[in-house]
Amino acid sequence: MAPPTVEEHTTVLRFLIHNGYRSTAETFKREAASFLDYTNSTQPSINEEQLTQDLARLTVGRTPELEEGDENYFNTPCFSFDSIHHDNILAAIIVPDDSGTLISSSTNKTVVVSPNILLGNKDLSIPPRSYKHHTAPVLSIDTHPLYPNVMLTTSMDGTIALVNTSEPLDVLDPESSGLLQQFKDHTKYVVRGIFSPEHGKYIATASYDKYVCIYDSDPDSADQVRIATTTNASNGSLPKYTLIKKLGPFVGNVETICFLEPDVLVVGVRDDNYLHYIHLPDFSREKYNMNANGDNWVSFSPAWISASPDRRFLLCSTDHESGRIILFGAHQSRQVQNYYDSPSDNKFTTRRHAWHSSGKYFYTVGGDDNNVRVVETKTGIVAEALKSHKKMIKSISVVPKQGVVTAGFDHLVNVWSTPLLHSATKDAAR
């Protein structure tokens, strides 16, 4: 296929100007300067059919390496929980094992672990457990890839907690019940805390103090982690972590982090047009400019980044009012695809995404309508809009074998699956 033409780029610019997307138009002008004919770009007449054709060529022509969608994604409402929290919910995840456990947090500073809730909570001897290891709201939750009972939480109070959720809950002492370790190495909000994939050797945390902290499991614990790959992980001693590096200060608040590989961390920073790749354990660095034309103009900041399931790409939700999401090649500045979904001038909207395990789709939130959109990765087409929330969605995550979980300011936690998985879940609950 021939590369997109000047006329096609110019048609898109005319559309943006005609419909009042001035900020987006200015960004488009900078990034596509060599492809634009400014003599015709401000004409108000728009041929909608021609515009559709031009947009299609601009999209499809740039994504030959991506797979076509197959309409196989999570879109069946499975559960909706309205009584776990009575406050705004900030984070929710499904534990990626067969326990059917949901973990969630809200602005009331607590974390609630709900065992078996996705299996109908058949075992009533395991009621929900409420933990309060932080003195401020909990912003993120993760679980160890080998020890699903080891929970990692981060808070607005600047602290990080590691908790053994399999221990009996001490209702008289929720501040220390099950607490394995607590870290106080940040001075402001810790917006994200994650285990490295596969073995969980590292923990990485991101904070508004402009630093990233890296923790490593101690040698004895690391040996247990390696043993656990061939034995029952729950029978091994639980890992312990030590701070090994504090990276920063970066130029702005660290907004988002993800592991591209078990030993490669990617960092996204506010007011910074670069994505930073950190190689562990030697802490060597690469950085890649997010601007297609290579300049240092900052027109957006990364709000959320994640690696594709095959680790060939990095998806970046930005804070731009156009709803811009960029798909980068891994270890590259190359923009494989751009998506413009859910435009909003609400500066407080939360822009998040999560990959479907096939990599053919991803889920995105951040629009004013509070819907979850299923986007086909190759074309950028919204395959479906999932309508389930009445207020802002603050959290979205995917577990390949179970579905999508969303939560937000309407105090709801919703789970989406496929008809087949939903049927199997109901059978297991009987």
Side-chain angles (χ1 to χ4, degrees), residues 49-73:
E49 182 178 354
Q50 185 63 46
L51 174 67
T52 300
Q53 294 175 2
D54 290 350
L55 285 172
R57 278 180 52 80
L58 283 169
T59 299
V60 177
R62 295 173 61 184
T63 57
E65 64 204 280
L66 301 175
E67 293 187 59
E68 298 281 354
D70 55 8
E71 299 185 0
N72 181 18
Y73 50 81

PDB file of all heavy atoms in Angstrom, residues 49-73:
ATOM      1  N   GLU A  49     -17.511  11.564   3.065  1.00  0.00           N
ATOM      2  CA  GLU A  49     -17.118  10.284   2.467  1.00  0.00           C
ATOM      3  C   GLU A  49     -15.612  10.263   2.202  1.00  0.00           C
ATOM      4  O   GLU A  49     -14.923   9.282   2.490  1.00  0.00           O
ATOM      5  CB  GLU A  49     -17.879  10.048   1.166  1.00  0.00           C
ATOM      6  CG  GLU A  49     -17.546   8.710   0.509  1.00  0.00           C
ATOM      7  CD  GLU A  49     -18.361   8.476  -0.759  1.00  0.00           C
ATOM      8  OE1 GLU A  49     -19.249   9.297  -1.060  1.00  0.00           O
ATOM      9  OE2 GLU A  49     -18.100   7.476  -1.432  1.00  0.00           O
ATOM     10  N   GLN A  50     -15.087  11.375   1.674  1.00  0.00           N
ATOM     11  CA  GLN A  50     -13.656  11.436   1.413  1.00  0.00           C
ATOM     12  C   GLN A  50     -12.862  11.394   2.712  1.00  0.00           C
ATOM     13  O   GLN A  50     -11.812  10.773   2.805  1.00  0.00           O
ATOM     14  CB  GLN A  50     -13.318  12.713   0.637  1.00  0.00           C
ATOM     15  CG  GLN A  50     -11.843  12.806   0.206  1.00  0.00           C
ATOM     16  CD  GLN A  50     -11.477  11.681  -0.751  1.00  0.00           C
ATOM     17  OE1 GLN A  50     -12.205  11.389  -1.687  1.00  0.00           O
ATOM     18  NE2 GLN A  50     -10.339  11.032  -0.497  1.00  0.00           N
ATOM     19  N   LEU A  51     -13.398  12.076   3.738  1.00  0.00           N
ATOM     20  CA  LEU A  51     -12.725  12.069   5.036  1.00  0.00           C
ATOM     21  C   LEU A  51     -12.605  10.655   5.574  1.00  0.00           C
ATOM     22  O   LEU A  51     -11.553  10.243   6.063  1.00  0.00           O
ATOM     23  CB  LEU A  51     -13.489  12.939   6.025  1.00  0.00           C
ATOM     24  CG  LEU A  51     -12.977  12.901   7.462  1.00  0.00           C
ATOM     25  CD1 LEU A  51     -11.594  13.535   7.559  1.00  0.00           C
ATOM     26  CD2 LEU A  51     -13.945  13.583   8.411  1.00  0.00           C
ATOM     27  N   THR A  52     -13.687   9.876   5.494  1.00  0.00           N
ATOM     28  CA  THR A  52     -13.679   8.493   5.973  1.00  0.00           C
ATOM     29  C   THR A  52     -12.626   7.672   5.244  1.00  0.00           C
ATOM     30  O   THR A  52     -11.875   6.897   5.847  1.00  0.00           O
ATOM     31  CB  THR A  52     -15.061   7.855   5.786  1.00  0.00           C
ATOM     32  OG1 THR A  52     -16.024   8.606   6.518  1.00  0.00           O
ATOM     33  CG2 THR A  52     -15.065   6.421   6.286  1.00  0.00           C
ATOM     34  N   GLN A  53     -12.550   7.852   3.942  1.00  0.00           N
ATOM     35  CA  GLN A  53     -11.561   7.112   3.155  1.00  0.00           C
ATOM     36  C   GLN A  53     -10.138   7.510   3.545  1.00  0.00           C
ATOM     37  O   GLN A  53      -9.258   6.664   3.685  1.00  0.00           O
ATOM     38  CB  GLN A  53     -11.792   7.372   1.661  1.00  0.00           C
ATOM     39  CG  GLN A  53     -13.099   6.820   1.124  1.00  0.00           C
ATOM     40  CD  GLN A  53     -13.332   7.197  -0.326  1.00  0.00           C
ATOM     41  OE1 GLN A  53     -12.496   7.842  -0.953  1.00  0.00           O
ATOM     42  NE2 GLN A  53     -14.474   6.794  -0.865  1.00  0.00           N
ATOM     43  N   ASP A  54      -9.922   8.820   3.739  1.00  0.00           N
ATOM     44  CA  ASP A  54      -8.589   9.291   4.090  1.00  0.00           C
ATOM     45  C   ASP A  54      -8.162   8.792   5.467  1.00  0.00           C
ATOM     46  O   ASP A  54      -7.027   8.362   5.671  1.00  0.00           O
ATOM     47  CB  ASP A  54      -8.551  10.820   4.062  1.00  0.00           C
ATOM     48  CG  ASP A  54      -8.659  11.375   2.641  1.00  0.00           C
ATOM     49  OD1 ASP A  54      -8.561  10.566   1.697  1.00  0.00           O
ATOM     50  OD2 ASP A  54      -8.856  12.593   2.496  1.00  0.00           O
ATOM     51  N   LEU A  55      -9.095   8.835   6.434  1.00  0.00           N
ATOM     52  CA  LEU A  55      -8.786   8.330   7.767  1.00  0.00           C
ATOM     53  C   LEU A  55      -8.465   6.843   7.740  1.00  0.00           C
ATOM     54  O   LEU A  55      -7.576   6.365   8.440  1.00  0.00           O
ATOM     55  CB  LEU A  55      -9.953   8.603   8.719  1.00  0.00           C
ATOM     56  CG  LEU A  55     -10.107  10.046   9.201  1.00  0.00           C
ATOM     57  CD1 LEU A  55     -11.409  10.196   9.973  1.00  0.00           C
ATOM     58  CD2 LEU A  55      -8.936  10.441  10.078  1.00  0.00           C
ATOM     59  N   ALA A  56      -9.229   6.102   6.944  1.00  0.00           N
ATOM     60  CA  ALA A  56      -8.997   4.658   6.835  1.00  0.00           C
ATOM     61  C   ALA A  56      -7.601   4.378   6.289  1.00  0.00           C
ATOM     62  O   ALA A  56      -6.892   3.500   6.779  1.00  0.00           O
ATOM     63  CB  ALA A  56     -10.052   4.010   5.942  1.00  0.00           C
ATOM     64  N   ARG A  57      -7.195   5.146   5.277  1.00  0.00           N
ATOM     65  CA  ARG A  57      -5.865   4.932   4.709  1.00  0.00           C
ATOM     66  C   ARG A  57      -4.771   5.297   5.715  1.00  0.00           C
ATOM     67  O   ARG A  57      -3.763   4.608   5.840  1.00  0.00           O
ATOM     68  CB  ARG A  57      -5.693   5.764   3.436  1.00  0.00           C
ATOM     69  CG  ARG A  57      -6.294   5.121   2.187  1.00  0.00           C
ATOM     70  CD  ARG A  57      -6.077   6.002   0.965  1.00  0.00           C
ATOM     71  NE  ARG A  57      -4.675   6.386   0.808  1.00  0.00           N
ATOM     72  CZ  ARG A  57      -3.732   5.597   0.280  1.00  0.00           C
ATOM     73  NH1 ARG A  57      -4.029   4.365  -0.104  1.00  0.00           N
ATOM     74  NH2 ARG A  57      -2.486   6.019   0.158  1.00  0.00           N
ATOM     75  N   LEU A  58      -4.986   6.388   6.443  1.00  0.00           N
ATOM     76  CA  LEU A  58      -4.002   6.786   7.438  1.00  0.00           C
ATOM     77  C   LEU A  58      -3.856   5.743   8.532  1.00  0.00           C
ATOM     78  O   LEU A  58      -2.786   5.539   9.090  1.00  0.00           O
ATOM     79  CB  LEU A  58      -4.402   8.130   8.063  1.00  0.00           C
ATOM     80  CG  LEU A  58      -4.123   9.358   7.201  1.00  0.00           C
ATOM     81  CD1 LEU A  58      -4.816  10.566   7.810  1.00  0.00           C
ATOM     82  CD2 LEU A  58      -2.637   9.607   7.061  1.00  0.00           C
ATOM     83  N   THR A  59      -4.940   5.045   8.869  1.00  0.00           N
ATOM     84  CA  THR A  59      -4.919   4.042   9.932  1.00  0.00           C
ATOM     85  C   THR A  59      -4.374   2.714   9.436  1.00  0.00           C
ATOM     86  O   THR A  59      -3.376   2.201   9.914  1.00  0.00           O
ATOM     87  CB  THR A  59      -6.332   3.839  10.502  1.00  0.00           C
ATOM     88  OG1 THR A  59      -6.776   5.072  11.046  1.00  0.00           O
ATOM     89  CG2 THR A  59      -6.333   2.784  11.583  1.00  0.00           C
ATOM     90  N   VAL A  60      -5.025   2.138   8.425  1.00  0.00           N
ATOM     91  CA  VAL A  60      -4.654   0.809   7.956  1.00  0.00           C
ATOM     92  C   VAL A  60      -3.266   0.799   7.360  1.00  0.00           C
ATOM     93  O   VAL A  60      -2.503  -0.139   7.514  1.00  0.00           O
ATOM     94  CB  VAL A  60      -5.700   0.296   6.943  1.00  0.00           C
ATOM     95  CG1 VAL A  60      -5.279  -1.046   6.390  1.00  0.00           C
ATOM     96  CG2 VAL A  60      -7.052   0.176   7.605  1.00  0.00           C
ATOM     97  N   GLY A  61      -2.892   1.895   6.686  1.00  0.00           N
ATOM     98  CA  GLY A  61      -1.591   1.948   6.052  1.00  0.00           C
ATOM     99  C   GLY A  61      -0.443   1.910   7.044  1.00  0.00           C
ATOM    100  O   GLY A  61       0.674   1.600   6.686  1.00  0.00           O
ATOM    101  N   ARG A  62      -0.709   2.193   8.302  1.00  0.00           N
ATOM    102  CA  ARG A  62       0.358   2.255   9.284  1.00  0.00           C
ATOM    103  C   ARG A  62       0.403   1.028  10.182  1.00  0.00           C
ATOM    104  O   ARG A  62       1.217   0.959  11.089  1.00  0.00           O
ATOM    105  CB  ARG A  62       0.177   3.509  10.149  1.00  0.00           C
ATOM    106  CG  ARG A  62       0.330   4.797   9.382  1.00  0.00           C
ATOM    107  CD  ARG A  62      -0.033   5.989  10.229  1.00  0.00           C
ATOM    108  NE  ARG A  62       0.831   6.112  11.399  1.00  0.00           N
ATOM    109  CZ  ARG A  62       0.660   7.038  12.333  1.00  0.00           C
ATOM    110  NH1 ARG A  62      -0.332   7.882  12.244  1.00  0.00           N
ATOM    111  NH2 ARG A  62       1.471   7.106  13.366  1.00  0.00           N
ATOM    112  N   THR A  63      -0.461   0.064  10.008  1.00  0.00           N
ATOM    113  CA  THR A  63      -0.534  -1.030  10.973  1.00  0.00           C
ATOM    114  C   THR A  63      -0.466  -2.419  10.338  1.00  0.00           C
ATOM    115  O   THR A  63      -1.198  -3.306  10.736  1.00  0.00           O
ATOM    116  CB  THR A  63      -1.837  -0.911  11.778  1.00  0.00           C
ATOM    117  OG1 THR A  63      -2.948  -0.912  10.870  1.00  0.00           O
ATOM    118  CG2 THR A  63      -1.872   0.361  12.583  1.00  0.00           C
ATOM    119  N   PRO A  64       0.389  -2.649   9.353  1.00  0.00           N
ATOM    120  CA  PRO A  64       0.422  -3.986   8.746  1.00  0.00           C
ATOM    121  C   PRO A  64       0.917  -5.069   9.685  1.00  0.00           C
ATOM    122  O   PRO A  64       0.645  -6.247   9.473  1.00  0.00           O
ATOM    123  CB  PRO A  64       1.380  -3.798   7.556  1.00  0.00           C
ATOM    124  CG  PRO A  64       2.262  -2.671   7.971  1.00  0.00           C
ATOM    125  CD  PRO A  64       1.371  -1.746   8.745  1.00  0.00           C
ATOM    126  N   GLU A  65       1.657  -4.704  10.729  1.00  0.00           N
ATOM    127  CA  GLU A  65       2.212  -5.710  11.633  1.00  0.00           C
ATOM    128  C   GLU A  65       1.243  -6.154  12.716  1.00  0.00           C
ATOM    129  O   GLU A  65       1.546  -7.050  13.497  1.00  0.00           O
ATOM    130  CB  GLU A  65       3.482  -5.165  12.285  1.00  0.00           C
ATOM    131  CG  GLU A  65       3.236  -3.959  13.170  1.00  0.00           C
ATOM    132  CD  GLU A  65       4.477  -3.106  13.329  1.00  0.00           C
ATOM    133  OE1 GLU A  65       5.324  -3.499  14.154  1.00  0.00           O
ATOM    134  OE2 GLU A  65       4.599  -2.083  12.657  1.00  0.00           O
ATOM    135  N   LEU A  66       0.076  -5.506  12.805  1.00  0.00           N
ATOM    136  CA  LEU A  66      -0.907  -5.845  13.824  1.00  0.00           C
ATOM    137  C   LEU A  66      -1.929  -6.831  13.282  1.00  0.00           C
ATOM    138  O   LEU A  66      -2.269  -6.807  12.101  1.00  0.00           O
ATOM    139  CB  LEU A  66      -1.616  -4.576  14.311  1.00  0.00           C
ATOM    140  CG  LEU A  66      -0.705  -3.510  14.918  1.00  0.00           C
ATOM    141  CD1 LEU A  66      -1.513  -2.253  15.246  1.00  0.00           C
ATOM    142  CD2 LEU A  66       0.000  -4.036  16.162  1.00  0.00           C
ATOM    143  N   GLU A  67      -2.434  -7.677  14.168  1.00  0.00           N
ATOM    144  CA  GLU A  67      -3.384  -8.707  13.754  1.00  0.00           C
ATOM    145  C   GLU A  67      -4.804  -8.164  13.699  1.00  0.00           C
ATOM    146  O   GLU A  67      -5.185  -7.283  14.473  1.00  0.00           O
ATOM    147  CB  GLU A  67      -3.335  -9.886  14.736  1.00  0.00           C
ATOM    148  CG  GLU A  67      -2.039 -10.662  14.709  1.00  0.00           C
ATOM    149  CD  GLU A  67      -2.129 -11.898  15.582  1.00  0.00           C
ATOM    150  OE1 GLU A  67      -3.021 -12.739  15.320  1.00  0.00           O
ATOM    151  OE2 GLU A  67      -1.334 -12.014  16.525  1.00  0.00           O
ATOM    152  N   GLU A  68      -5.582  -8.722  12.774  1.00  0.00           N
ATOM    153  CA  GLU A  68      -6.985  -8.354  12.670  1.00  0.00           C
ATOM    154  C   GLU A  68      -7.764  -8.826  13.897  1.00  0.00           C
ATOM    155  O   GLU A  68      -7.441  -9.851  14.495  1.00  0.00           O
ATOM    156  CB  GLU A  68      -7.614  -9.004  11.424  1.00  0.00           C
ATOM    157  CG  GLU A  68      -6.983  -8.572  10.111  1.00  0.00           C
ATOM    158  CD  GLU A  68      -7.478  -7.207   9.657  1.00  0.00           C
ATOM    159  OE1 GLU A  68      -8.388  -6.665  10.313  1.00  0.00           O
ATOM    160  OE2 GLU A  68      -6.952  -6.698   8.648  1.00  0.00           O
ATOM    161  N   GLY A  69      -8.785  -8.076  14.263  1.00  0.00           N
ATOM    162  CA  GLY A  69      -9.648  -8.493  15.351  1.00  0.00           C
ATOM    163  C   GLY A  69     -10.484  -9.704  14.986  1.00  0.00           C
ATOM    164  O   GLY A  69     -10.754  -9.956  13.801  1.00  0.00           O
ATOM    165  N   ASP A  70     -10.877 -10.489  15.984  1.00  0.00           N
ATOM    166  CA  ASP A  70     -11.642 -11.706  15.731  1.00  0.00           C
ATOM    167  C   ASP A  70     -12.975 -11.716  16.496  1.00  0.00           C
ATOM    168  O   ASP A  70     -13.642 -12.742  16.564  1.00  0.00           O
ATOM    169  CB  ASP A  70     -10.823 -12.937  16.117  1.00  0.00           C
ATOM    170  CG  ASP A  70     -10.323 -12.885  17.570  1.00  0.00           C
ATOM    171  OD1 ASP A  70     -10.750 -11.966  18.307  1.00  0.00           O
ATOM    172  OD2 ASP A  70      -9.511 -13.739  17.955  1.00  0.00           O
ATOM    173  N   GLU A  71     -13.341 -10.562  17.086  1.00  0.00           N
ATOM    174  CA  GLU A  71     -14.584 -10.412  17.845  1.00  0.00           C
ATOM    175  C   GLU A  71     -14.637 -11.322  19.074  1.00  0.00           C
ATOM    176  O   GLU A  71     -15.701 -11.613  19.604  1.00  0.00           O
ATOM    177  CB  GLU A  71     -15.809 -10.654  16.956  1.00  0.00           C
ATOM    178  CG  GLU A  71     -15.900  -9.667  15.791  1.00  0.00           C
ATOM    179  CD  GLU A  71     -17.166  -9.837  14.982  1.00  0.00           C
ATOM    180  OE1 GLU A  71     -17.975 -10.727  15.316  1.00  0.00           O
ATOM    181  OE2 GLU A  71     -17.351  -9.076  14.020  1.00  0.00           O
ATOM    182  N   ASN A  72     -13.489 -11.753  19.525  1.00  0.00           N
ATOM    183  CA  ASN A  72     -13.409 -12.596  20.720  1.00  0.00           C
ATOM    184  C   ASN A  72     -12.807 -11.775  21.853  1.00  0.00           C
ATOM    185  O   ASN A  72     -11.590 -11.642  21.979  1.00  0.00           O
ATOM    186  CB  ASN A  72     -12.552 -13.832  20.444  1.00  0.00           C
ATOM    187  CG  ASN A  72     -12.466 -14.757  21.647  1.00  0.00           C
ATOM    188  OD1 ASN A  72     -13.288 -14.676  22.562  1.00  0.00           O
ATOM    189  ND2 ASN A  72     -11.464 -15.619  21.666  1.00  0.00           N
ATOM    190  N   TYR A  73     -13.680 -11.174  22.659  1.00  0.00           N
ATOM    191  CA  TYR A  73     -13.222 -10.351  23.767  1.00  0.00           C
ATOM    192  C   TYR A  73     -14.282 -10.380  24.866  1.00  0.00           C
ATOM    193  O   TYR A  73     -15.399 -10.854  24.662  1.00  0.00           O
ATOM    194  CB  TYR A  73     -12.954  -8.915  23.312  1.00  0.00           C
ATOM    195  CG  TYR A  73     -14.080  -8.284  22.525  1.00  0.00           C
ATOM    196  CD1 TYR A  73     -15.190  -7.729  23.152  1.00  0.00           C
ATOM    197  CD2 TYR A  73     -14.030  -8.240  21.132  1.00  0.00           C
ATOM    198  CE1 TYR A  73     -16.229  -7.158  22.435  1.00  0.00           C
ATOM    199  CE2 TYR A  73     -15.056  -7.669  20.404  1.00  0.00           C
ATOM    200  CZ  TYR A  73     -16.146  -7.123  21.053  1.00  0.00           C
ATOM    201  OH  TYR A  73     -17.177  -6.560  20.335  1.00  0.00           O
TER     202      TYR A  73
END
